[in-house]
Amino acid sequence: MARSNSFDNQTILEGIRRWVEIETPTEVPEQVNKLISVVAEQHRDLPVTLERIAGVDGCGDHLVARSDWGQDRPGILVLSHLDTVHPMGFIARLPFKVEGDSAFGPGIYDMKGGAYIAHHAFRELCAGADRSPLGITHIFTSDEEIGSPTSRALIEKEGRKAKYVLVTEPARDGGKIVTGRKGVGRFEVFIKGVPAHAGSRPEDGRSAIRELANIIMALEGMNDLTRGVTVNVGVVRGGTRPNVTPEEAYAEIDLRVPNFADADEFVGKILGLKSNTEGVSVRVTGALNRPPYEKSNAGASLFEHAKSLATELGFDLIDTHTGGGSDGNFTAPDTATLDGLGVDGKGAHTHYEQLYVSSLEPRARLLHRLYQTLR
Ligand SMILES: [Zn+2]
């Protein structure tokens, strides 16, 4: 029989602290696996079947916990990632600590807090008499922060089997949950020019950096905030020395689009970028790596249901769209998906990352009620 801890903020926070104090940078799989082992261990007294999928391509393992009931028909899929963007050792700069209503730590808000409250809510569900009519499958992944290259297929497969998908990414701006996310594209630009002695033979050179400047201006010109399209040239490199006409230049680009039509248009524009200079070649690679997540009819009624549960619990649930991508982007095209169900707080990916302790109980209870009432 599973132990019940009820929905006490301090009890939940102690559980989160344990997960936060095991640092889990995406690129250090042995650390991610340490936490995966702890999470697996914490499922030992719960009525679940565990499947641990070995990590590949330098990423950690994924863990799938399936409730012993309701697995013969479409149920509830809960998506949480345990990796963080913070490098190893960052916890010395951002140790777990509580100040007033804020609890700090690497990944505490994005998203160990959310992953933990969903687990806690499941534990409470198992301890109580009022089990959910639907089966619950909770996936803990290891690579969301780099775009989920090794978990995407698993998420898509389980997402298609599910009736509802609940994603425990952080809440936004005062507890809002997420019913729409932009699609995300990533691209690389490789430019090759002709090197020369910049002082004695400038006429022989074709500058790759100069061409990159043209390309950057074209990319920046694609930004259209009224349409919600953003293009960011986030990394540039090029050249070797001040007195050499640069032979090579390179850039990395992030594209965000609100819908599929814009995705087609802007992916095409970026991949179609050409050199304006004879003797200089421009090659662009990349693609949309997360499809846009648009609010569907099924997603809208799932949101309305969650909103009425929140009202019963005494708080207002508001939905929003965000430019940030998540694993919800992979499931939303096929299955009703609600995202941002994790904890409230601020400072994701920063040295002041924090959750609001007062958000733990209501958000955990909301997940618990969703488990109990979705049918
Ligand atoms: Zn996240």
Side-chain angles (χ1 to χ4, degrees):
M1 186 66 194
R3 272 176 305 113
S4 167
N5 294 314
S6 81
F7 289 97
D8 169 61
N9 279 337
Q10 286 315 313
T11 309
I12 297 172
L13 191 57
E14 270 313 303
I16 294 171
R17 175 182 190 159
R18 190 166 173 216
W19 288 16
V20 166
E21 289 188 335
I22 301 170
E23 289 186 277
T24 52
T26 319
E27 65 282 0
V28 188
E30 58 277 17
Q31 282 294 120
V32 179
N33 289 349
K34 227 183 253 180
L35 179 55
I36 291 272
S37 295
V38 167
V39 175
E41 178 63 29
Q42 288 178 338
H43 280 83
R44 269 245 303 244
D45 63 338
L46 294 175
V48 295
T49 309
L50 288 181
E51 181 188 359
R52 184 168 178 158
I53 298 156
V56 294
D57 301 339
C59 292
D61 299 351
H62 310 306
L63 184 71
V64 186
R66 292 186 171 85
S67 65
D68 285 347
W69 69 91
Q71 294 293 342
D72 54 338
R73 61 204 165 95
I76 300 170
L77 175 65
V78 184
L79 293 178
S80 301
H81 67 84
L82 293 180
D83 61 319
T84 74
V85 297
H86 302 289
M88 203 57 203
F90 197 80
I91 197 157
R93 188 174 172 200
L94 183 65
F96 177 89
K97 66 169 185 232
V98 181
E99 276 174 13
D101 192 36
S102 291
F104 296 81
I108 199 165
Y109 171 58
D110 181 12
M111 65 141 77
K112 287 180 181 173
Y116 188 84
I117 61 170
H119 167 66
H120 184 85
F122 181 72
R123 171 170 291 281
E124 290 304 307
L125 183 81
C126 296
D130 193 6
R131 288 254 176 104
S132 58
L134 299 181
I136 295 173
T137 300
H138 195 167
I139 306 187
F140 299 88
T141 60
S142 63
D143 63 349
E144 195 275 344
E145 294 292 3
I146 58 167
S148 311
T150 72
S151 59
R152 179 176 181 166
L154 171 71
I155 290 164
E156 287 176 339
K157 184 179 90 186
E158 294 292 336
R160 277 191 293 270
K161 285 200 309 207
K163 187 164 182 190
Y164 303 103
V165 180
L166 308 178
V167 187
T168 64
E169 288 289 350
R172 311 276 141 173
D173 323 322
K176 289 182 184 146
I177 61 168
V178 178
T179 53
R181 286 181 181 273
K182 288 181 183 176
V184 184
R186 285 288 164 83
F187 303 88
E188 289 178 291
V189 179
F190 303 89
I191 302 181
K192 192 144 174 78
V194 180
H197 190 300
S200 63
R201 302 287 298 178
E203 65 276 19
D204 294 348
R206 298 287 180 275
S207 168
I209 289 179
R210 184 192 152 108
E211 190 60 28
L212 178 58
N214 292 332
I215 294 284
I216 290 171
M217 293 312 286
L219 286 163
E220 292 288 335
M222 292 179 197
N223 276 291
D224 190 339
L225 292 182
T226 49
R227 278 171 76 179
V229 174
T230 60
V231 179
N232 183 52
V233 182
V235 176
V236 294
R237 281 198 289 273
T240 52
R241 289 169 180 279
N243 58 354
V244 179
T245 308
E247 183 180 13
E248 289 184 345
Y250 169 81
E252 291 177 34
I253 291 113
D254 180 287
L255 165 72
R256 309 273 160 150
V257 285
N259 57 53
F260 282 98
D262 289 338
D264 282 347
E265 179 182 338
F266 284 88
V267 169
K269 275 187 180 164
I270 293 173
L271 290 177
L273 286 168
K274 296 248 173 331
S275 170
N276 288 324
T277 312
E278 219 192 294
V280 179
S281 69
V282 171
R283 184 165 65 88
V284 186
T285 63
L288 201 67
N289 66 6
R290 290 186 201 277
Y293 158 9
E294 297 174 75
K295 191 171 179 176
S296 65
N297 288 336
S301 53
L302 176 57
F303 170 69
E304 290 306 322
H305 179 68
K307 191 176 167 64
S308 67
L309 294 175
T311 305
E312 283 170 30
L313 291 169
F315 66 102
D316 226 10
L317 201 63
I318 299 164
D319 72 326
T320 185
H321 282 60
T322 166
S326 94
D327 288 333
N329 292 59
F330 297 140
T331 61
D334 297 308
T335 309
T337 298
L338 212 50
D339 198 347
L341 285 163
V343 297
D344 198 3
K346 67 176 178 187
H349 299 189
T350 72
H351 61 281
Y352 58 90
E353 178 162 353
Q354 60 194 268
L355 62 73
Y356 301 145
V357 179
S358 57
S359 75
L360 296 176
E361 182 192 334
R363 311 286 295 191
R365 282 190 189 277
L366 176 61
L367 283 157
H368 182 247
R369 290 294 291 148
L370 282 164
Y371 295 165
Q372 279 184 329
T373 58
L374 285 174
R375 52 196 70 235

